[in-house]
Amino acid sequence: MKDLTQGSIPKSLIAMALPMMIGMVIQTLYFIVDLYFVGQLGPAALAGLSLAGNAMFLIFSLTQILNVSTAALISHAVGAKNKTDANITFNQSMMMSSVVGTIVCIIGYLGAKTYLNFISQDTETVLMGLAYLHWFIPCMALQFIMVSISAALRGTGVVKPTMIIQTLSILVNIILSPLLISGWGSDYAMGIAGAGLASSLSVVFAVVLLCYYFIKTDKYISVDFSLWVMNVPRIKKLLVIGLPAGGEFFLLFIYMATIYWLIKPFGADAQAGFGLGSRVMQALFLPAMAIAFAAPAIAGQNFGAGNFQRVRETFTWSAIMTCSLMTIITLVCLSQTELLLTAFSTDEEVILISVIFLQVICWNFVPSGLVFTCSGLFQALGNTMPALLSTAIRLVTFIIPAFWLSKQADFQIEQLWYVSVTSICIQAAVSFYLLKSEFKKRLPIHYLTNNVTDEINKSKLIS
């Protein structure tokens, strides 16, 4: 356990974010490897990978319920020095993740074809997506166990073990992807299905290592099967905090699925171009997201300990760091767009669509950084409903104009990107306003005043 209620906040943010950032950079390499080898299979394969990959937003919406609530409750317990409470939360989270992961696996195999047919009218794209999902679904199911463990450790201020394990897992994926997709070193190339199998095998590897870590090391939290009995009050706490956060990702899933559905008349090239641009954008976001992911543990522990001024300072420093990184990424996208994309496809139409997408959508990177930071602080305060509300406003302000534009005779794909930028700017403004309101309600002003008074009195005594 690491006490985050003392010391420099910027240093704590960097110390926690750096291991996450390293892992995320390596995860970026994983995205790049998959994109590179699947991109060589043609636009239909790339579109199939993108459509199937969008299903991960649905999985993220479910894992985020456990991710946010587990980290928030455990960080509060650690701040209050209540080890028993932290272990109850952790074991209830693990129990829930096991059950939900099993259900997701079953539903995934039963509903994959229906989902793909809904958002694509290209037969080859659907077949490619199905081939990928049939091998990728185990990876999605196992995400729940990984998320529960990672969130629990993050709540205690520990990030290095999970970072190392996730990094090793991604390296396994990077090694397996070309072997299975292209058949390097063998006579059998699985194509896009190999990408799904590589992901599943790497996650199995990670889960085994995480289990070994918990068996062999001493920790603030530990697996205790005697606590794997339904604890209704604790499950309610987890859901109250986690459901709105999960709802955020569910709305993002709806947002992405809506775009795929709106552009399907333009064919596989359009869906492949959007999918490629989106994947590159998500990979570029990872370093900034590492800062935003570090903030909840720091702010959460300080909130649990009653150090409200440090909660505010955590937001300020996180916003500065996150938005600064997003500014750099924006400049890279504006100046080096083609360089970011040309390695992944030889299809000129796919590249053109991706270039236009990134050059327009990069104007929302800085507002997105503010949204990430606000969401992290909502998690730390144990109230993620404002984050859900801001995401819902973003969805509404995107979908209504987007559907109207799609019915016009001169409808062009680029119009969707401009609407998207506008909607995210609105979301950032709403998130910031709601966080200020949350601070007023949850961080008593008199506490700050008393702190200032105490400092003045100390100065007088010293004088």
Side-chain angles (χ1 to χ4, degrees):
M1 189 273 287
K2 185 175 181 180
D3 187 357
L4 300 172
T5 61
Q6 306 293 329
S8 166
I9 290 175
K11 287 182 179 178
S12 295
L13 277 170
I14 293 170
M16 286 197 69
L18 193 57
M20 292 185 197
M21 197 175 297
I22 293 170
M24 287 178 169
V25 168
I26 295 174
Q27 188 173 5
T28 302
L29 295 177
Y30 152 66
F31 283 132
I32 290 172
V33 169
D34 261 9
L35 281 176
Y36 177 79
F37 285 99
V38 173
Q40 310 310 307
L41 302 177
L46 190 56
L49 175 68
S50 301
L51 297 181
N54 185 52
M56 275 302 293
F57 277 101
L58 186 56
I59 300 303
F60 287 154
S61 71
L62 297 174
T63 58
Q64 191 74 346
I65 295 172
L66 296 173
N67 185 22
V68 170
S69 59
T70 301
L73 290 179
I74 288 179
S75 68
H76 292 175
V78 170
K81 314 301 182 190
N82 192 335
K83 184 176 180 179
T84 300
D85 190 68
N87 273 281
I88 290 172
T89 296
F90 172 61
N91 282 278
Q92 287 294 296
S93 176
M94 288 290 287
M95 179 187 71
M96 291 172 66
S97 67
S98 301
V99 172
V100 176
T102 302
I103 294 172
V104 163
C105 195
I106 295 170
I107 294 176
Y109 281 111
L110 294 177
K113 188 173 182 179
T114 302
Y115 160 71
L116 290 169
N117 278 323
F118 177 74
I119 57 177
S120 179
Q121 60 187 22
D122 183 78
T123 304
E124 189 179 358
T125 297
V126 172
L127 290 175
M128 289 287 186
L130 276 175
Y132 177 77
L133 274 178
H134 281 168
W135 290 101
F136 186 69
I137 286 171
C139 169
M140 294 194 290
L142 289 170
Q143 292 294 321
F144 293 89
I145 294 290
M146 287 187 64
V147 163
S148 287
I149 296 174
S150 299
L153 289 174
R154 191 169 70 252
T156 66
V158 177
V159 294
K160 286 184 179 179
T162 51
M163 182 276 292
I164 292 170
I165 290 171
Q166 287 173 348
T167 299
L168 291 173
S169 170
I170 291 165
L171 289 174
V172 169
N173 199 322
I174 290 172
I175 293 168
L176 288 178
S177 286
L179 295 177
L180 296 174
I181 296 171
S182 302
W184 286 9
S186 72
D187 295 327
Y188 182 65
M190 294 182 65
I192 193 172
L197 178 57
S199 296
S200 292
L201 290 175
S202 66
V203 171
V204 170
F205 174 75
V207 170
V208 170
L209 287 184
L210 281 170
C211 291
Y212 179 80
Y213 170 79
F214 263 83
I215 292 170
K216 294 295 182 180
T217 59
D218 294 326
K219 301 153 299 297
Y220 193 79
I221 51 173
S222 58
V223 176
D224 183 353
F225 288 110
S226 67
L227 296 175
W228 285 42
V229 178
M230 185 173 287
N231 184 326
V232 176
R234 187 51 50 99
I235 290 174
K236 283 184 178 179
K237 279 187 176 182
L238 287 165
L239 293 178
V240 165
I241 296 173
L243 277 173
E248 278 190 83
F249 272 92
F250 179 73
L251 293 180
L252 286 175
F253 166 74
I254 297 296
Y255 165 78
M256 295 291 287
T258 299
I259 293 178
Y260 279 119
W261 185 78
L262 288 173
I263 66 176
K264 69 179 181 179
F266 294 92
D269 284 349
Q271 292 187 322
F274 169 64
L276 173 57
S278 298
R279 284 247 177 170
V280 170
M281 179 185 71
Q282 290 161 18
L284 292 171
F285 275 8
L286 294 178
M289 290 175 69
I291 298 289
F293 286 173
I298 298 170
Q301 282 195 24
N302 283 285
F303 181 71
N307 298 333
F308 301 135
Q309 179 61 24
R310 285 177 62 85
V311 176
R312 292 173 179 267
E313 290 174 4
T314 301
F315 166 73
T316 301
W317 281 108
S318 178
I320 291 171
M321 293 179 180
T322 304
C323 292
S324 297
L325 284 170
M326 285 297 198
T327 300
I328 294 170
I329 294 168
T330 300
L331 295 175
V332 170
C333 276
L334 287 172
S335 61
Q336 304 295 331
T337 317
E338 289 192 29
L339 185 63
L340 295 171
L341 299 166
T342 49
F344 306 114
S345 178
T346 56
D347 189 288
E348 292 183 3
E349 185 66 20
V350 170
I351 294 297
L352 178 61
I353 292 169
S354 295
V355 166
I356 294 172
F357 169 77
L358 281 178
Q359 288 184 339
V360 174
I361 213 73
C362 69
W363 292 106
N364 72 26
F365 287 4
V366 173
S368 294
L370 183 58
V371 170
F372 294 153
T373 302
C374 291
S375 294
L377 268 292
F378 288 133
Q379 295 170 27
L381 297 176
N383 180 18
T384 52
M385 188 60 73
L388 176 61
L389 177 59
S390 72
T391 305
I393 290 172
R394 171 194 172 183
L395 187 65
V396 171
T397 55
F398 171 77
I399 284 184
I400 292 175
F403 269 98
W404 181 81
L405 287 169
S406 70
K407 301 299 181 183
Q408 306 307 304
D410 59 347
F411 173 54
Q412 296 178 344
I413 296 176
E414 304 88 76
Q415 295 170 334
L416 296 178
W417 315 150
Y418 288 107
V419 174
S420 180
V421 170
T422 303
S423 67
I424 292 178
C425 289
I426 293 171
Q427 181 188 11
V430 172
S431 292
F432 183 69
Y433 172 78
L434 292 175
L435 184 63
K436 285 182 66 177
S437 300
E438 201 68 14
F439 276 177
K440 288 180 182 178
K441 289 188 291 185
R442 292 176 173 265
L443 308 183
I445 297 298
H446 68 80
Y447 174 89
L448 301 177
T449 304
N450 289 341
N451 271 358
V452 173
T453 303
D454 289 345
E455 291 300 319
I456 293 172
N457 290 335
K458 286 179 184 177
S459 299
K460 288 180 179 178
L461 288 173
I462 292 171
S463 302

